[in-house]
């Protein structure tokens, strides 16, 4: 897990249950993407909710999830808050 802390003090990260951030204060959680099957039974990761591309198609859902994670973590500082 990677945390990005902006100069304003805002913390952004790809949500996971490794840390209990609720104890630190008010949280805002929003959807970053939609991992969905295609009509042909493959998978895509649509990152349009955060201004990103659609990744894929992938043969397996786990591949789409891994690509989604890599893209989000690689672009975390530039994703609009």
């Amino acid at each position: 897990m990677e945390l990005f802390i902006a100069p304003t003090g805002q913390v952004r990260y790809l949500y996971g249950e490794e840390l209990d951030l609720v104890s630190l204060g008010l949280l805002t959680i929003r959807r970053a993407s939609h991992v969905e099957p295609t009509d042909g039974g493959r998978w895509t990761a649509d990152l349009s909710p955060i201004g990103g591309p659609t990744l894929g198609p992938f043969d397996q859902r786990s591949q789409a999830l891994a690509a989604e994670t890599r893209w989000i973590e690689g672009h975390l500082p530039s994703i609009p808050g």
Side-chain angles (χ1 to χ4, degrees):
M1 170 193 304
E2 294 184 29
L3 297 175
F4 173 74
I5 303 172
T8 61
Q10 179 188 45
V11 177
R12 284 188 257 155
Y13 79 108
L14 181 60
Y15 180 82
E17 296 175 345
E18 299 89 349
L19 295 175
D20 180 16
L21 295 181
V22 174
S23 63
L24 299 178
L26 180 64
L27 299 180
T28 301
I29 300 171
R30 68 183 179 116
R31 177 172 294 281
S33 69
H34 303 276
V35 174
E36 301 287 341
T38 66
D39 290 338
R42 298 183 78 197
W43 294 87
T44 60
D46 175 5
L47 293 146
S48 64
I50 54 173
T54 296
L55 307 175
F58 300 95
D59 291 332
Q60 299 176 339
R61 182 175 181 269
S62 61
Q63 294 171 323
L65 292 170
E68 168 201 43
T69 298
R70 283 191 304 274
W71 193 94
I72 292 172
E73 288 181 346
H75 293 86
L76 199 53
S78 63
I79 295 172

